[in-house]
Amino acid sequence: QYSLIKDVVSSLKRHRMHEQQFTHHPLLVLSNFGFQQIQVKLMASMFQNMFPSINVHRVNVNSIKRCLLVSYDAETQLLDFRH
């Protein structure tokens, strides 16, 4: 299941989108990827390599405009993807 950005924007009462929102890379948060199965490690590595790494000591917190959360459910083997 997913929603397109145009559907999300049309459902908002006030949308606050600006043109510089997508100029910086998102902060990637991986949840429940600590399992030792090879397919889970491969998925985590794939998501980590999709975006450049962020140096937490040198990053300007005000430059982070987006967050990407990927959560793995081991029981259902489904990924929850929230951007």
Side-chain angles (χ1 to χ4, degrees):
Q1 298 175 351
Y2 65 94
S3 298
L4 297 175
I5 189 67
K6 66 178 182 177
D7 297 329
V8 173
V9 170
S10 67
S11 69
L12 296 174
K13 293 180 182 176
R14 291 183 337 199
H15 80 281
R16 296 178 298 178
M17 302 266 304
H18 50 86
E19 61 275 356
Q20 294 182 353
Q21 185 170 2
F22 296 103
T23 58
H24 299 286
H25 302 290
L27 176 65
L28 178 65
V29 179
L30 298 176
S31 177
N32 298 328
F33 280 89
F35 301 105
Q36 296 299 320
Q37 300 155 333
I38 189 69
Q39 68 269 21
V40 177
K41 288 183 179 180
L42 182 63
M43 284 189 297
S45 175
M46 180 193 69
F47 284 119
Q48 288 171 344
N49 290 318
M50 284 176 67
F51 304 100
S53 61
I54 296 174
N55 185 345
V56 295
H57 300 294
R58 301 178 76 194
V59 69
N60 181 4
V61 178
N62 293 329
S63 70
I64 298 175
K65 303 293 182 192
R66 300 180 294 143
C67 182
L68 177 68
L69 171 65
V70 182
S71 180
Y72 177 69
D73 187 358
E75 290 180 13
T76 61
Q77 295 185 345
L78 293 176
L79 290 173
D80 290 328
F81 183 87
R82 185 172 177 122
H83 180 226

